[in-house]
């Protein structure tokens, strides 16, 4: 079966067509600047193979529907395309950011599901409406095909109350659903399944700490294959230090900024989400630039690296305490997969807990799942590339095949 995976943003649509027999990517593309005077459409056919063929088009793309139709016209193009027509798509998988407490697993989209995603808009005001745009368009174009919503939050719905409740007045939870939800669930679940394969153990018997370090960062404690705690909270702002997001801060800082700097709540929100994290500390949010700057003696860049990796270590320690037995620690995403220094610093001094890196293995850059811990390490440490599109496609296939 061929599956179309859609990740619809407010002004962009990312998509992939996968052949699920071989799990190969037939095409991957991006429609950008929807609604602007000139939009951009990039599709790579047979990406990362000898036959890779990149096609770029610039044209006005008025809305998501036009964007999707433009992408399909490329996908079905008689010269470069990879499908004959839209009917070759057997199912469509949609990334949906917030499923609230309504969705514990990927779900076939029905009118009731659409209503529930809409009802969760207050929890993800930027993301859920954009995801809904993608769904509406795809339901229109692929009317006879099953559409599946795969939620970023679903994997974490197994968290116990003690992990997901904030110590706030209970009514905030009961009336307004203010609680921790967690995100990046599709990635953590995918990594957990891949780790179980490496450990040759059923996932349901694995205790893992999965460390997703990209532009957004999160860590999950997985007990017997289920998420029991995760670092992102009600919104994707809590926890680790991210590219531009602060992660954990004293909530009283908001009041301080308001009282002493006259900032209003919108400004504070923007600073915490867009001007903080690595960028806030040193002006750069790409870890490669930060390493270059450190090499040139930039002190703030060193502080940014230290603050991020120290926070990672604190969370790893906390999740070891949560889990007791840990079968593996796994790094993934842009930084987690590519940055040996961040991995080394995040685990530095943890030999006493049975964690010891093989510095040579850690330094190697490979695209395959790799063990980077030494033989003496009682807890293995892995690097496993995440693949959210494949994860969504696998989940979609599972749902449509019942
Ligand atoms: P992601 O959100 O998973 O796409 O990760 C994006 C982030 O990964 C970028 O902002 C960089 O900080 C980081 N990154 C990508 N490649 C490298 C690399 N080779 N070394 C260090 N960091 C990297």
């Amino acid at each position: 079966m061929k599956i179309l995976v859609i990740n619809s943003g407010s002004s962009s649509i990312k998509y992939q067509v996968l052949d699920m027999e071989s799990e190969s990517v037939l095409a991957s593309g991006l429609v950008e600047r929807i609604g602007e005077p000139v939009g951009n459409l990039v599709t790579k056919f047979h990406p990362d193979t000898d036959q890779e063929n990149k096609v770029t088009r610039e044209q006005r793309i008025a809305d998501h529907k036009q964007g999707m139709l433009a992408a399909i016209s490329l996908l079905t193009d008689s010269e470069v395309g990879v499908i004959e027509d839209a009917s070759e798509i057997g199912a469509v998988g949609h990334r949906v950011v917030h499923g609230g407490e309504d969705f514990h697993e990927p779900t076939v989209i029905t009118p009731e599901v659409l209503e529930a995603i809409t009802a969760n808009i207050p929890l993800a005001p930027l993301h859920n409406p954009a995801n809904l745009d993608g769904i509406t368009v795809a339901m229109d174009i692929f009317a006879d095909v099953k559409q599946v919503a795969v939620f970023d939050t679903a994997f974490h719905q197994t968290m116990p109350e003690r992990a997901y409740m904030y110590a706030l007045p209970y009514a905030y939870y009961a009336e307004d659903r203010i609680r921790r939800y967690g995100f990046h669930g599709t990635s953590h679940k995918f990594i957990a399944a891949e780790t179980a394969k490496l450990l040759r153990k059923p996932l349901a018997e694995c205790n893992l700490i999965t460390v997703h370090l990209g532009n957004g960062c999160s860590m999950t404690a997985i007990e017997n294959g289920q998420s029991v705690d995760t670092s992102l909270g009600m919104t994707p702002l809590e926890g680790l230090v991210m590219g531009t997001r602060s992660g954990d801060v004293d909530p009283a800082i908001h009041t301080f900024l308001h009282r002493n700097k006259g900032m209003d709540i919108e400004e504070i929100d923007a600073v915490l989400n867009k001007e903080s994290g690595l960028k806030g500390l040193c002006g750069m949010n790409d870890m490669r630039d930060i390493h270059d700057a450190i090499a040139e003696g930039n002190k703030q860049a060193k502080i940014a690296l230290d603050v991020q990796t120290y926070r990672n270590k604190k969370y790893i320690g906390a999740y070891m305490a949560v889990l007791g037995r840990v079968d593996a620690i796994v790094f993934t995403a842009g930084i987690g997969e590519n940055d040996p220094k961040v991995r080394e610093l995040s685990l530095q001094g943890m030999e006493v807990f049975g964690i010891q890196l093989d510095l040579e293995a850690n330094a190697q850059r490979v695209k395959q799942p790799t063990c980077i811990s030494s033989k003496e390490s009682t807890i293995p440490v892995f690097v496993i590339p995440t693949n959210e599109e494949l994860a969504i496609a696998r989940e979609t296939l599972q749902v449509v095949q019942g």
Side-chain angles (χ1 to χ4, degrees), residues 14 184 212-217 243 278 285-291 332-340 342 365 386 388:
K14 257 178 150 177
H184 295 152
H212 178 116
L213 302 177
N215 205 17
C217 300
L278 298 171
N285 61 345
D286 191 310
M287 207 31 109
R288 290 163 287 197
D289 297 336
I290 292 175
H291 287 302
T332 194
I335 299 173
E337 290 166 30
N338 295 302
D339 198 320
V342 166
R365 193 154 289 159
T386 193
E388 292 192 72

Side-chain angles (χ1 to χ4, degrees), residues 91-94 107-109 134-135 138-139 142-143 145-149 400:
V92 184
H94 295 270
T107 308
V108 172
I109 300 173
I135 294 173
M139 288 179 86
F142 302 95
V145 167
K146 273 195 183 153
Q147 316 268 331
V148 176
V400 296

